[in-house]
Amino acid sequence: MKAQPEPLPDHLRALVGQSVDDIGTPALVVDLDAVNRNLQRMVEFAAKHRLRLRPHGKAHKSALFGRLQLQAGAVGLCAQTVAEAEALGAGGINDILISNEVLGVPKLRRVAALAHQLYTRGGRLAIAVDSGEGIERLAQAMMLTRAVIDVYIEIDIGQGRCGVAPDERAVTLARQLAGRSSLRFAGLQAYHGGAQHLRTVAERHAAIVEAAEKVNAVRRLLEAAEMPADVVTGAGTGTFAHEAASGAWTEIQPGSFMFMDVDYLRNERDPAQPQFEPALFVKSQVISLADDHAVCDAGHKSHAIDSGLPEVQALPGQAPLRFANGGDEHGVLHPEHTADEDGPLSHLPALGEAVWLIPGHCDPTVNLHSHYVVVRGGLAAGRVEAIAPVEARGVW
């Protein structure tokens, strides 16, 4: 039985139509205008390079943003967990790729049920495998439905995480798939996550050149075996221009481009890629003030720190601030500079003033929140357009 969505709390429902000043803190806030600009740039890039765009839903975990991406021209979405795929499917997304291996029998039963659900409404579910055991378990689960599931063989192109070695072992798995009526060999899953945050363009380019050689080697082996990989899917926000230039990929899976975060913003700008802007923020408020620092109410419970601390987004007229670790519930704000070494600090924010934080890593930050506050018109003078649930939060 599906869990019913939790009713929206009154204080959130009342926000719609109100000023950004009325948003309580800490809150996960999306600048919808920035999201639309980022999305349009990515759609135009994919069209120009004749690539299918399948954004990764693990970045936003939201049916609302998934539908927005489909309306803009995406062919479908990726999910990284069964729970994410189920939530996106329940939200009306009909074409989903679980770009990860699933081995647990209870989860595979859920995969089969979702495949059946999407099949009955004209959609499709796909999944990645990298082992014969994974294929056998998936085939067993799919006996519960008449639906067919698309299966991508994941190959390890450099990250050293999931994926079969890029050699004849991939052909062996494709042959094993060919004997299963409920499983359809759809192509290759080839994602190099380790290349996404290599800081220089040259480093990222070199990593994807090497990865493309591995992809093309497997494609040649599959063609010789008369089992061509019609689709090669992969790529991320840090490298998708290099995958596009290689000619080895037919579909790209960037996710963070729509929101951006501090870690991606630290990458050297690649002129071959569109420029994306921050669109995801944690709104915070100054709750304490000292002579040399201020304290805001957004600590680690409101933003992930696996990729570093957030940065403060200075609005027009605001002095730059540096965010420091304050623990679970607090952030410590320091001025970047002082007007006079011997004089008092004159540019700390006032008590009660809003502080907008750009998270270090958007995906796990989103996972900490139950709702987005979606704003149109900017952070300084915008209004709340909608409250959107983060349906796919959690990991199970």
Side-chain angles (χ1 to χ4, degrees), residues 286-296 321 331-335 338 343-352:
V286 175
I287 59 172
S288 181
L289 193 60
D291 290 341
D292 60 352
H293 69 270
V295 179
C296 68
L321 296 168
V332 181
L333 306 170
H334 297 280
T338 61
L345 298 177
S346 59
H347 50 278
L348 283 170
L351 281 171

Side-chain angles (χ1 to χ4, degrees), residues 32 35-36 39-40 42-44 53-55 60 62-77 91-95 257-258 376 385:
L32 187 58
V35 159
N36 284 328
L39 183 54
Q40 186 60 36
M42 181 60 82
V43 168
E44 289 173 356
L53 174 62
R54 183 180 294 277
H60 54 70
S62 160
L64 181 146
F65 289 112
R67 292 192 296 269
L68 190 67
Q69 291 171 325
L70 292 175
Q71 290 162 9
V75 298
L77 265 66
I93 309 302
N94 287 332
D95 192 323
F257 75 93
M258 199 169 76
R376 191 185 291 276
E385 176 92 354

Side-chain angles (χ1 to χ4, degrees), residues 5 11 13 16 43 61 70 104 125 141 155 193 202 216 219 229-230 240 249 262 264 268 283 288 327 340 347 350:
H11 72 279
R13 189 183 302 109
V16 177
V43 168
K61 304 178 186 293
L70 292 175
L125 182 66
I155 57 174
N216 285 327
R219 293 187 78 173
D230 295 329
F240 65 85
W249 280 261
V262 170
Y264 269 118
E268 180 187 4
K283 184 189 177 187
S288 181
D340 182 346
H347 50 278

Side-chain angles (χ1 to χ4, degrees), residues 80-283:
Q80 200 70 355
T81 69
V82 177
E84 286 176 354
E86 289 171 328
L88 293 172
I93 309 302
N94 287 332
D95 192 323
I96 303 169
L97 163 60
I98 302 175
S99 54
N100 198 8
E101 285 66 31
V102 179
L103 267 291
V105 172
K107 281 189 179 181
L108 284 169
R109 291 183 184 137
R110 289 160 57 192
V111 167
L114 180 59
H116 181 79
Q117 174 189 339
L118 297 184
Y119 170 79
T120 58
R121 63 192 203 210
R124 63 188 283 270
L125 182 66
I127 195 168
V129 301
D130 69 356
S131 68
E133 179 70 17
I135 291 172
E136 293 303 315
R137 292 187 180 204
L138 178 62
Q140 186 71 24
M142 290 299 294
M143 292 177 66
L144 301 172
T145 172
R146 68 179 185 276
V148 174
I149 189 168
D150 283 349
V151 181
Y152 289 84
I153 296 171
E154 182 165 13
I155 57 174
D156 181 3
I157 56 172
Q159 184 165 8
R161 192 169 63 184
C162 293
V164 68
D167 54 27
E168 285 285 353
R169 280 168 279 193
V171 179
T172 299
L173 293 181
R175 289 197 176 107
Q176 187 174 350
L177 284 171
R180 301 292 182 174
S181 60
S182 59
L183 312 183
R184 179 169 50 216
F185 173 49
L188 299 175
Q189 162 75 13
Y191 174 65
H192 193 339
Q196 303 310 309
H197 297 285
L198 296 174
R199 291 306 178 203
T200 70
V201 174
E203 287 175 306
R204 297 195 297 275
H205 173 72
I208 299 307
V209 166
E210 184 177 342
E213 292 173 355
K214 295 174 181 177
V215 169
N216 285 327
V218 174
R219 293 187 78 173
R220 288 191 294 269
L221 290 171
L222 289 166
E223 286 168 5
E226 299 184 346
M227 294 181 293
D230 295 329
V231 177
V232 177
T233 184
T237 295
T239 65
F240 65 85
H242 303 295
E243 280 93 347
S246 76
W249 280 261
T250 64
E251 182 177 274
I252 55 174
Q253 303 175 354
S256 299
F257 75 93
M258 199 169 76
F259 287 160
M260 293 303 285
D261 54 35
V262 170
D263 203 14
Y264 269 118
L265 291 169
R266 290 192 181 115
N267 279 1
E268 180 187 4
R269 167 97 169 88
D270 187 345
Q273 295 193 175
Q275 187 160 10
F276 303 112
E277 58 191 288
L280 181 77
F281 303 89
V282 174
K283 184 189 177 187

Side-chain angles (χ1 to χ4, degrees), residues 7-21:
L8 200 62
D10 290 342
H11 72 279
L12 289 178
R13 189 183 302 109
L15 271 178
V16 177
Q18 300 302 307
S19 165
V20 292
D21 295 338

Side-chain angles (χ1 to χ4, degrees), residues 57-58 60-63 79 81-89 366-367 369-370 372 389-396:
K58 73 183 180 72
H60 54 70
K61 304 178 186 293
S62 160
T81 69
V82 177
E84 286 176 354
E86 289 171 328
L88 293 172
V366 167
N367 201 51
H369 294 261
S370 60
Y372 293 101
V390 185
E391 299 101 326
R393 69 190 297 247
V395 296
W396 194 69

Side-chain angles (χ1 to χ4, degrees), residues 299-330:
H300 303 333
K301 289 181 180 178
S302 64
H303 55 81
I305 60 172
D306 60 300
S307 295
L309 295 172
E311 290 186 358
V312 180
Q313 173 87 335
L315 300 184
Q318 290 183 334
L321 296 168
R322 176 174 54 85
F323 185 96
N325 185 348
D328 289 352
E329 310 290 353
H330 304 92

